[in-house]
Amino acid sequence: MRFFRSGHDRGSCESGLTRRLLFSEPDVTFFHPPSIFDFRDRPEVLGPISDVIPSSPVFEMYPIGLTSLADRLEGAGYNARIINLAREMLTDPEYDPEADIAACTANVYAIDLHWLPHAHGAIEVARLVKKHHPDAPVIFGGLSSTYYHEELIEYPSVDYVLRGDSTEEPMEQLVDALTGDGDVSDVPNLTYRDGGETTVNPLTYQPDDLDDISVPSYTYAIRSVLKYGSLRKVLPHKGWLDKPITMLLTSRGCRHACSFCGGADAYADVHDRPKPAFRSPERLIEDVRTITAFSEGPIFIVHDLRQGGWDYATEFFELLAEEDIENEFVFELFGPAPAEYFELIDDAVERYSLELSPESHKPEIREKMGKFAVSNEAIEDTLRAALDNGCRNIDVFFMIGLPEQSYEDAVGAVEYAEHLLTDIDDDRVVPFIAPLAPFLDPGSPAFENPEAYGYEPLAETLEEHRQLLLEPSWKRMLGYETTELSRDDIVDATYEAAERMNRLKYEHGQLDEETLQTILDRLETSRWVVDRVDEIYESIPDGRREAELQAIAEEVPDFGEYSIAGEDELWWKNDGLRGMPRLAGVAGKLLVGELRQRL
């Protein structure tokens, strides 16, 4: 089964191949969609659903796996391009995504539906691809695509869904089959329609480690700038050029099974991943060298290194100590750590920060959610040990909307934060609080068995989530309530806790007066918007609502970004890129290397 035969020819002559590399037209184009495709035209006014991550409520940061998929295809001789539609639409009011899609000349199109908040945007991008390229295959992939693969394949604009957390090899096989004489029935992990019937190939490709996968592939990203003539379209999120943050992916899969995320349970049940697959310390160090060739900015280590075991973490730090790297490193902690761990880090790097998410100040709630059943004393000992061993900053995250969390429990996290700031008395400990929004992750224990965890889901299918994304306020967008907290309660607790937390940080010198006032003004506006939307729904007939909602959007056009936290609070100290000439030089070397490899 194939849609076309491409002009792609791996046996091209040297001059033809040189032309393809230096003036490249993509064989495969990857599109990253915004959360809501027409967010610039609709009266939706988004709220604090992304304040504690780098991207905006548009969720313009694409999954780092896109770079590994593109890299794999390029290694196989295809030209693969990533276009971050979400970022382009967010940063350029004049940008026309449909015109860009229509102008594309690729033979195959791929769209990520990794995080469920992209349910609307991903489907709309697929619809536009089919509108302008009706004969081109459209491929979906990602964690949410995997969970909803049988529902997703029913959409007319979706031809193929690749399942699992690692689809580099299946993607190459699928593109081979579509551009040649192959049979897609042999492609592992694939769901597709054939003669009106849905076919689900076995999920058999699941690598035991990540050493043969370049994820994230920064070499691909740099090389693609010259190949496709645009740095802007491959940037991961708004503001990245000014404050570049790079990542090291230590593993796919997790050893923990948090109720709202799933981790081990979701990966085992949905992605057939019974245990994490790790990238070896040696390969991680190679990734560090690649990053430091072009960036002086922070390097974020995705996942707690101790998931791979103490020996794994120790080996990584010993190898890192030999590199003499000046970039700051940011490490995740999934639970308390001893002083010995921070001694290893301090010996290995010049600068480092930590992220720790106890989620709640109440141990019984943490235990219910599957986080870690430890005392607050153990957490505080961890903070002190890190601070005593050179840690520059520790972000501590609390969430609202957890299992068995009452209103008092939710806002009570601020009192515990005050205890931390007063008792530890170190302004390097920086607390945050945010809603667990907008959806529970599909496949997580709370999603699969909501009653056991005290959740009341308001959406279950992909289409139900897609429709929720079109609601005009973040309260009405929420995909769940709990037995303790209604949607109204979650919203009220969020605003009360956010106001109290920011006043607390001002009192302890972590926010200046101007920043505090900006946050308080945004909180007041945010509260007003939520209340006004409810008034419109309660008092105005359906046919007249849109005009009233549009009036809100026009009155507060920038509403939704950083409404519960300072705009720069989550950005680590950043020395930026090593300069565009240096970046261009690295890109040129990589492109020449690819040319030699293909010849």
Side-chain angles (χ1 to χ4, degrees), residues 300 330-333 353-357 394-395 397 570 572:
F300 184 72
V330 183
F331 299 95
E332 286 190 283
L333 292 180
S353 294
L354 295 175
E355 288 199 346
L356 175 64
S357 300
I394 307 176
D395 291 339
F397 295 95
L570 286 161
W572 300 283

Side-chain angles (χ1 to χ4, degrees), residues 47-274:
I49 58 175
S50 65
D51 279 12
V52 292
I53 59 175
S55 64
S56 73
V58 175
F59 292 96
E60 77 275 12
M61 184 168 65
Y62 57 76
I64 58 177
L66 284 191
T67 61
S68 63
L69 291 168
D71 186 74
R72 177 64 178 250
L73 290 175
E74 297 238 337
Y78 296 101
N79 288 325
R81 186 182 188 187
I82 294 173
I83 297 179
N84 189 345
L85 292 173
R87 183 196 171 278
E88 291 287 272
M89 295 171 70
L90 183 66
T91 57
D92 183 359
E94 302 301 318
Y95 175 70
D96 185 344
E98 182 171 358
D100 207 358
I101 291 170
C104 285
T105 58
N107 294 316
V108 179
Y109 295 91
I111 300 166
D112 63 276
L113 178 51
H114 188 68
W115 296 296
L116 199 50
H118 289 98
H120 181 269
I123 297 298
E124 289 303 300
V125 169
R127 182 184 62 81
L128 289 175
V129 170
K130 278 298 181 185
K131 174 183 175 181
H132 295 285
H133 311 284
D135 296 325
V138 174
I139 306 168
F140 268 61
L143 299 185
S144 295
S145 292
T146 299
Y147 186 88
Y148 286 112
H149 67 109
E150 290 183 290
E151 182 181 352
L152 188 56
I153 203 66
E154 295 294 329
Y155 287 91
S157 54
V158 181
D159 299 306
Y160 300 97
V161 181
L162 284 170
R163 312 188 315 277
D165 64 12
S166 300
T167 56
E168 289 81 6
E169 172 66 23
M171 173 64 85
E172 181 185 343
Q173 292 186 32
L174 178 57
V175 173
D176 282 346
L178 294 173
T179 60
D181 295 321
D183 187 345
V184 298
S185 65
D186 297 327
V187 178
N189 304 21
L190 182 67
T191 298
Y192 61 101
R193 299 279 287 174
D194 188 7
E197 298 293 325
T198 297
T199 300
V200 181
N201 293 352
L203 202 164
T204 55
Y205 179 76
Q206 202 64 282
D208 294 329
D209 61 61
L210 304 184
D211 277 6
D212 293 330
I213 299 171
S214 296
V215 56
S217 178
Y218 291 108
T219 56
Y220 162 79
I222 296 171
R223 188 175 61 233
S224 72
V225 173
L226 289 186
K227 288 189 66 173
Y228 306 113
S230 175
L231 170 63
R232 194 179 70 185
K233 290 185 178 181
V234 78
L235 291 176
H237 58 78
K238 179 182 178 182
W240 189 88
L241 271 181
D242 295 326
K243 300 173 183 176
I245 299 172
T246 52
M247 297 183 182
L248 289 187
L249 183 68
T250 60
S251 66
R252 283 174 171 162
C254 185
R255 297 197 187 280
H256 300 274
C258 298
S259 62
F260 56 81
C261 172
D265 289 351
Y267 272 90
D269 296 340
V270 180
H271 308 288
D272 198 25
R273 169 78 66 194

Side-chain angles (χ1 to χ4, degrees), residues 415-434:
E415 295 179 8
Y416 181 66
E418 183 174 15
H419 160 72
L420 292 179
L421 295 181
T422 302
D423 193 54
I424 296 178
D425 192 22
D426 195 311
D427 61 7
R428 291 177 290 172
V429 177
V430 184
F432 295 89
I433 192 162

Side-chain angles (χ1 to χ4, degrees), residues 259-386:
S259 62
F260 56 81
C261 172
D265 289 351
Y267 272 90
D269 296 340
V270 180
H271 308 288
D272 198 25
R273 169 78 66 194
K275 61 181 181 179
F278 292 95
R279 192 161 176 81
S280 69
E282 293 84 1
R283 292 304 301 272
L284 290 174
I285 295 301
E286 292 177 12
D287 296 338
V288 170
R289 292 171 186 155
T290 298
I291 290 170
T292 56
F294 68 87
S295 174
E296 297 180 281
I299 301 173
F300 184 72
I301 310 297
V302 181
H303 301 153
D304 192 322
L305 281 162
R306 295 172 298 161
Q307 282 203 115
W310 187 260
D311 290 343
Y312 174 90
T314 300
E315 182 180 357
F316 171 75
F317 288 125
E318 289 176 348
L319 292 173
L320 186 59
E322 298 174 2
E323 295 297 315
D324 191 27
I325 303 298
E326 295 183 358
N327 299 59
E328 178 174 5
F329 284 79
V330 183
F331 299 95
E332 286 190 283
L333 292 180
F334 287 175
E340 183 182 1
Y341 187 63
F342 303 115
E343 292 169 3
L344 284 172
I345 299 177
D346 196 29
D347 289 341
V349 301
E350 289 282 332
R351 298 175 289 169
Y352 77 98
S353 294
L354 295 175
E355 288 199 346
L356 175 64
S357 300
E359 316 292 5
S360 172
H361 64 293
K362 302 193 73 171
E364 59 269 30
I365 293 178
R366 290 198 295 267
E367 184 173 9
K368 180 66 177 180
M369 62 182 288
K371 193 68 178 179
F372 42 83
V374 298
S375 67
N376 287 341
E377 288 75 16
I379 295 175
E380 293 165 29
D381 288 344
T382 294
L383 299 179
R384 291 188 179 93

